[in-house]
Amino acid sequence: MKKKIIALNTTIMLGLGAFALPAVNAESLDDIKKERSDVKSDLSKAEKELAAVLTELNGLEEKIAKVDQAVADNEKIVKETEKEIEEAKAKVKKLEEEIKVIQERIDKRSEILKERAVAIQNSGGSNVNYIEVLLGSTSFSDFVDRVGAISKIVDADEELLIQHDKDKKEVEEKKATVDKELTTLNEKMTDLEGMREQLKEQEAQNDKLKAELKEKEEVAAEKKSKLQAKDVDLAAMQADIESSMARQAPVEASVTNNESTSTANTTNSNSSSKSKSSAKASSAPASTTVGSGMQAVISAGNKYIGKSVYVFGGGRSASDIAAGRFDCSGFVHWAFAQGGYSVGASTDALKNQGTPVPASQMQPGDMVFFNTYKTDGHVGIYIGGGKFIGSQSSTGVAIADMSSGYWAKAFNGRVNRIN
């Protein structure tokens, strides 16, 4: 553009003389100023875009930090549970060894009792056998000794039977304890392994989003850089023309003043426009306050949408609630408490609470259950329109669609209504 202006000025100077130069320069200056104004406007937009991306990125960084902490917390619980399972296995092994020893005693007693039973049967009965022993005594002292011996045998037989039954009962109790403990720990391990896999997926999704935002940041920064460079070039051209015009006739000053007035009017117009825009923005309606009862249950979690993270066992302490750390059942328990309802804090407890209703009749506020990594592995609160709110592993507290996609397939038809 600068070369064009110089060539044009040269032509006009040759044809009309130096008196035409100020008008040409003034017109060129107007063009440059207009173009520069457009560039500054685009630059302002680019800066706002970049600021928005950076703000979004900072928010994501905070969320990722929460997710990382949640993963670390869950990994810790998993390791603790694995340790408990190993200890339980060692305990089971020890119990099995003890059971083996007891079983050997039981087997030996069984053989002794079997032999005694056969001997008694062959002798025609225990009373006859004992009488023959007593009648076979050779003296009174021998008789007394034989009575004592028989008494010991009878007591020994009774003690043998008592110990036999006691050992059998102990074996059964130990086996039942071991089975119960292993069942509980294995169920817990299943839960934790499922949560860990879901959290890994959440972390991967956040990493993907972070990469996308980084790309946006780079694009916005490049755009800003190019606009800044263009503005510098235009500023240099403007300075050259203004310097040239300053050396021209006084008419140039008048033209410049007119341009300044026009620029001021434009600035005032923009300022007035911004004021009106600001006034419109400030007149936006304020958010409504959450009501009570079931409406409070349904809307209680809205403030956590996009600001929470899924943590196994979360939502059961004041610190977790303040930080937006919930698992699915912990969130449901907390949400119902906001409406004045007392419900359980685990899916096992929640699925047995309230009144079961057909899925075709569910209404806002009903609890809905899903088969995820296990039967009834997830629970949420139906809000109507085929949607539910809950703490999902990949998003934290969020509204999800259960009429199609993953949640439609996972929904198992269990709906419980709290009255």
Side-chain angles (χ1 to χ4, degrees), residues 81-128:
T81 304
E82 288 175 342
K83 183 179 179 182
E84 289 175 3
I85 288 178
E86 290 302 317
E87 291 174 351
K89 287 180 179 178
K91 184 177 180 180
V92 169
K93 185 177 181 180
K94 183 179 179 181
L95 286 171
E96 287 176 342
E97 291 174 353
E98 291 175 359
I99 289 171
K100 184 178 179 181
V101 172
I102 296 171
Q103 190 63 50
E104 288 177 355
R105 291 205 304 262
I106 291 173
D107 293 341
K108 288 180 180 178
R109 287 198 203 96
S110 295
E111 288 298 322
I112 292 172
L113 291 171
K114 182 179 178 181
E115 290 175 0
R116 285 186 179 281
V118 171
I120 290 171
Q121 185 179 5
N122 291 338
S123 64
S126 60
N127 291 333
V128 176

Side-chain angles (χ1 to χ4, degrees), residues 150-165:
I150 289 172
S151 177
K152 289 180 180 178
I153 291 171
V154 172
D155 290 342
D157 285 348
E158 186 176 358
E159 179 64 28
L160 198 66
L161 290 171
I162 292 173
Q163 188 61 43
H164 197 63
D165 290 339

